[in-house]
Amino acid sequence: MPSHNADIAAIFEEIADLLEIEGANPFRIRAYRNAARTIGELSTEAYVLAEKDEDLTQLPGIGHDLSAKIKEIVTTDHCSLLDRLHAELSPAVTELLKVPGLGPKRVRHLYHDLDVQTVEQLYCAARDGRIRVLPGFGEKTELNILQAVEAHVNQIRRFKLAVAAQYAEALRSYLAAVPGVMKVTVAGSYRRMRETVGDLDIVVAATPGSTVMQYFIAYDEVAETLAAGGTRASVILKCGMQVDLRVVPRESYGAALHYFTGSKAHNIAVRYIAQKRGLKINEYGVYQGKNRIAGDSEESVYRAVGLSYIPPELRENRGEIAKAQAGRLPHLVESGDLRGDLHAHTKATDGHNTLREMALAGKSRGWEYLAITDHSRRLAFARGLDPLRLARQCEEIDALNEELEGITLLKGIEVDILEDGNLDLPDHVLGQLDLVLGAIHSEFGLSRARQTERILRAMEHPHFTMLAHPGGRLIQQRDPYDVDMPRIIREAGRRGCFLELNAQPDRMDLFDIYCQMAKEEGVLVSINSDAHSTFDFDNLRFGVGQARRGWLEKQNVLNTRPLSELQVLLNRTMRQPAKAPVPQ
Ligand code: DGT
Ligand code: CA
Ligand code: CA
């Protein structure tokens, strides 16, 4: 089995880390970080592209050298540069970088001055007071390190949903091809589409005597077998992810699937309802006394306890059971409901593809529309657009819309919300566009009151259409900023603005509970890819999963609307300002 994208990305990240500890050229380091990001977010497996002999230098940030490294990794499972770095530095040293507060510079000192190579050695050095004397450290830093190490050790590793998907789908198809296997589902938090996944739980229905267990243990990517019996097994994959497998007879498949999909809180609530009806429920079925009355399908399990079928994304014991009892569950939005995407970048800023390439990729998905929303000038590192370049892009869009059939490009911008709540481009420029996404890319640390005020002031601008990635977090990298989200949602409703659910695997932002709140306030949510290349459109399925976790139905989602209706809704936000415009 060749390396997955997440493995390649991890290798490049590690190379960047090690180069940084060595004190290498910053441009070289950045090249590896960018490549890690590109490959990590790529929705097609790089090994598939390599097998087809596709030109990998077409990918953003991948030159000939990196392309050769990718091919080396997928064909040999090794990277000679990383091997060389490992020979020079202790491999454990990258673990130190995961301790909050320790960057490569500090790790370099710890490594070279104190010979600290592992987290344990770091802990001892901090405890013994040996760190405070190093240049640039001090007593307070030493204490912070001590506390951070303690917290770090307790933190269990979780995987982003899109990363888990790469491992889950490969393993699923492997198991599905085993003789005697009738059904395979990856259950657990993965099936519930949680934004991160702790481990994979796989449920298999197989004929008696099937060798699926042996196949599972023998899977190429298994690094360690924790337990293996006749019906259950647990392994750790090479990437560090645990996988639990459960094999059941065909007639128990629904009950097992229900049990291992969880959540635990949902299961407990369903079991309680069963008990009240004098029934017993477990992973083999639903029982009345000794009689098994249901269990071959999940529908039968729910029916037996008086509930309608509950989609996995709702199974968090957040009110879904009462709704199912009343037969009033929502009809959740589906991927096929989307008629377009309202957040995408092009080569003009930090995207990789041209306007035309993006438009054609959208068209091939059967979309009616695609909004082009490049960055504004404030984001200098992304070569954000000034009014002149934006005007030129609008002309190009007009020309393409004349030429292309079947898809309409909408003119937009992802405009920076400045520290004071002003927007990075003047209102008369924004007024020329079909939609304006406002986004925060700076000053994440403002107080709750100031951050909230900043966003509310931005929304006051007459042409503000939608708040992009409203929470601002990057999963496992940056916490959301401190903001009064319920108030922002209410005000968005009052002002006729929309909220984005950004489907980038690192973002997954609007959070599920806020989707639910937006629905209650009548605020439409737009499920956007924030695509930086044509591949990124595939991430929308994760956004749809999150929207479903937030109880959203088709009518709650802006980009399920046909173009004609969308245009009416977008124009409604182009209203007169409620009060005098904020001076620019
Ligand atoms: P994760 O892996 O942390 O992202 O979250 P889950 O939900 O996949 O949890 P996991 O892997 O520990 O267990 C998978 C499912 O098995 C869980 O969602 C519900 C079921 N389950 C596990 N332990 C219990 C339990 O003690 N009671 C009940 N009723 N169900 C359980
Ligand atoms: Ca799990
Ligand atoms: Ca598990």
Side-chain angles (χ1 to χ4, degrees):
M1 178 67 60
S3 301
H4 292 290
N5 291 344
D7 305 316
I8 302 168
I11 289 175
F12 285 167
E13 276 295 345
E14 192 176 352
I15 289 175
D17 287 342
L18 292 171
L19 286 174
E20 205 161 353
I21 293 169
E22 280 202 334
N25 179 336
F27 289 104
R28 190 162 170 230
I29 297 165
R30 183 137 8 106
Y32 281 100
R33 296 227 189 273
N34 290 342
R37 183 166 165 232
T38 298
I39 300 297
E41 291 178 354
L42 197 62
S43 52
T44 310
E45 292 275 19
Y47 72 78
V48 175
L49 298 177
E51 270 166 12
K52 288 198 225 147
D53 215 22
E54 298 225 7
D55 181 8
L56 297 175
T57 63
Q58 289 301 308
L59 295 168
I62 306 295
H64 289 289
D65 177 52
L66 283 161
S67 156
K69 289 219 163 49
I70 294 169
K71 288 195 179 132
E72 181 193 2
I73 296 167
V74 297
T75 49
T76 68
D77 223 7
H78 265 276
C79 175
S80 44
L81 172 60
L82 184 61
D83 294 344
R84 181 173 70 70
L85 288 166
H86 277 166
E88 288 167 15
L89 293 161
S90 154
V93 81
T94 47
E95 274 300 305
L96 296 177
L97 287 169
K98 295 187 188 137
V99 176
L102 285 190
K105 253 203 205 105
R106 284 193 161 152
V107 170
R108 205 155 92 212
H109 275 297
L110 291 164
Y111 185 75
H112 292 292
D113 302 353
L114 291 184
D115 202 25
V116 164
Q117 303 192 1
T118 66
V119 175
E120 289 73 33
Q121 290 168 345
L122 175 69
Y123 184 78
C124 295
R127 193 194 51 200
D128 303 344
R130 283 183 283 138
I131 289 177
R132 64 183 72 174
V133 296
L134 291 181
F137 279 80
E139 230 168 292
K140 182 145 177 286
T141 310
E142 188 180 72
L143 182 67
N144 287 344
I145 289 176
L146 205 56
Q147 289 169 343
V149 172
E150 280 165 359
H152 177 75
V153 170
N154 292 330
Q155 193 193 317
I156 312 148
R157 183 149 183 229
R158 297 185 66 83
F159 294 81
K160 280 176 266 192
L161 183 61
V163 171
Q166 294 174 9
Y167 298 100
E169 279 157 26
L171 183 48
R172 207 204 77 83
S173 9
Y174 170 81
L175 292 173
V178 172
V181 168
M182 292 175 280
K183 283 171 177 287
V184 191
T185 303
V186 183
S189 52
Y190 179 75
R191 184 164 178 239
R192 305 198 312 279
M193 300 291 273
R194 272 195 64 179
E195 57 200 28
T196 62
V197 169
D199 69 2
L200 297 177
D201 308 278
I202 303 187
V203 182
V204 165
T207 50
S210 157
T211 50
V212 61
M213 233 7 132
Q214 288 90 307
Y215 273 88
F216 178 58
I217 309 291
Y219 186 53
D220 245 12
E221 292 185 40
V222 169
E224 190 186 341
T225 303
L226 301 177
T231 59
R232 63 176 82 190
S234 290
V235 301
I236 308 274
L237 300 182
K238 287 177 188 161
C239 63
M241 187 183 292
Q242 182 171 330
V243 187
D244 298 335
L245 176 70
R246 201 53 187 262
V247 182
V248 295
R250 177 66 192 85
E251 67 271 17
S252 291
Y253 185 68
L257 190 54
H258 179 257
Y259 183 89
F260 291 106
T261 296
S263 67
K264 193 169 161 183
H266 173 89
N267 288 356
I268 290 170
V270 172
R271 196 186 314 141
Y272 178 69
I273 290 180
Q275 279 163 358
K276 280 203 298 191
R277 297 181 152 229
L279 302 172
K280 211 183 114 210
I281 185 167
N282 62 27
E283 62 259 54
Y284 294 101
V286 184
Y287 298 84
Q288 191 160 37
K290 286 211 168 70
N291 284 339
R292 193 168 165 286
I293 59 165
D296 67 324
S297 69
E298 285 192 313
E299 284 81 357
S300 78
V301 171
Y302 282 116
R303 208 180 312 119
V305 297
L307 300 174
S308 53
Y309 175 79
I310 302 177
E313 295 92 337
L314 294 184
R315 301 183 195 171
E316 297 290 345
N317 197 24
R318 290 188 192 150
E320 74 278 11
I321 291 176
K323 289 275 193 234
Q325 275 176 319
R328 291 183 45 215
L329 282 172
H331 297 284
L332 300 179
V333 62
E334 292 172 15
S335 286
D337 294 333
L338 300 187
R339 303 221 183 186
D341 186 349
L342 297 180
H343 187 164
H345 296 268
T346 72
K347 261 193 153 121
T349 63
D350 60 348
H352 180 63
N353 291 100
T354 61
L355 273 177
R356 178 186 298 273
E357 287 162 350
M358 294 301 272
L360 293 177
K363 186 180 163 180
S364 74
R365 284 169 188 258
W367 287 345
E368 278 184 57
Y369 49 84
L370 171 67
I372 301 300
T373 57
D374 269 315
H375 289 290
S376 65
R377 57 193 172 187
R378 175 64 179 276
L379 226 50
F381 69 82
R383 294 187 304 119
L385 301 180
D386 58 20
L388 197 66
R389 287 176 61 216
L390 178 60
R392 239 183 266 139
Q393 186 178 62
C394 288
E395 282 167 22
E396 277 181 61
I397 290 177
D398 283 334
L400 263 177
N401 278 340
E402 280 288 309
E403 178 198 328
L404 294 179
E405 301 266 312
I407 186 159
T408 301
L409 291 180
L410 300 174
K411 298 171 199 161
I413 186 99
E414 179 181 6
V415 67
D416 259 51
I417 297 175
L418 306 180
E419 285 69 18
D420 58 2
N422 273 315
L423 301 179
D424 187 26
L425 289 168
D427 284 341
H428 71 269
V429 171
L430 299 177
Q432 312 287 314
L433 303 171
D434 296 313
L435 78 168
V436 172
L437 271 56
I440 291 209
H441 294 125
S442 61
E443 298 292 325
F444 302 106
L446 294 185
S447 70
R448 185 183 184 82
R450 283 185 60 197
Q451 198 69 281
T452 306
E453 199 50 40
R454 175 187 185 187
I455 293 173
L456 294 181
R457 283 192 70 182
M459 287 181 0
E460 202 69 61
H461 281 258
H463 303 295
F464 189 103
T465 320
M466 189 186 306
L467 182 60
H469 42 75
R473 64 95 182 261
L474 293 174
I475 294 176
Q476 290 160 345
Q477 291 173 59
R478 188 173 73 213
D479 287 336
Y481 35 70
D482 194 7
V483 82
D484 185 350
M485 195 58 79
R487 181 153 170 234
I488 288 173
I489 293 171
R490 275 197 310 278
E491 291 293 313
R494 203 176 61 73
R495 295 166 205 215
C497 302
F498 308 107
L499 295 175
E500 171 177 83
L501 194 176
N502 187 303
Q504 262 193 48
D506 282 343
R507 292 195 180 272
M508 300 298 282
D509 177 10
L510 201 58
F511 310 154
D512 51 10
I513 51 166
Y514 294 138
C515 288
Q516 220 167 346
M517 216 176 272
K519 178 178 175 177
E520 278 154 24
E521 295 290 336
V523 176
L524 297 188
V525 172
S526 187
I527 305 173
N528 295 344
S529 70
D530 194 355
H532 285 70
S533 82
T534 53
F535 293 111
D536 293 346
F537 292 138
D538 284 338
N539 290 327
L540 281 168
R541 67 183 174 122
F542 302 116
V544 171
Q546 175 123 319
R548 290 166 63 87
R549 289 179 58 81
W551 291 58
L552 297 189
E553 304 182 69
K554 183 178 175 184
Q555 69 266 25
N556 308 124
V557 176
L558 180 64
N559 50 330
T560 62
R561 300 290 203 275
L563 179 62
S564 53
E565 275 178 47
L566 176 75
Q567 277 166 330
V568 173
L569 286 165
L570 292 178
N571 283 332
R572 208 181 58 192
T573 63
M574 310 224 172
R575 69 220 118 82
Q576 289 306 306
K579 39 185 178 190
V582 186
Q584 309 238 356

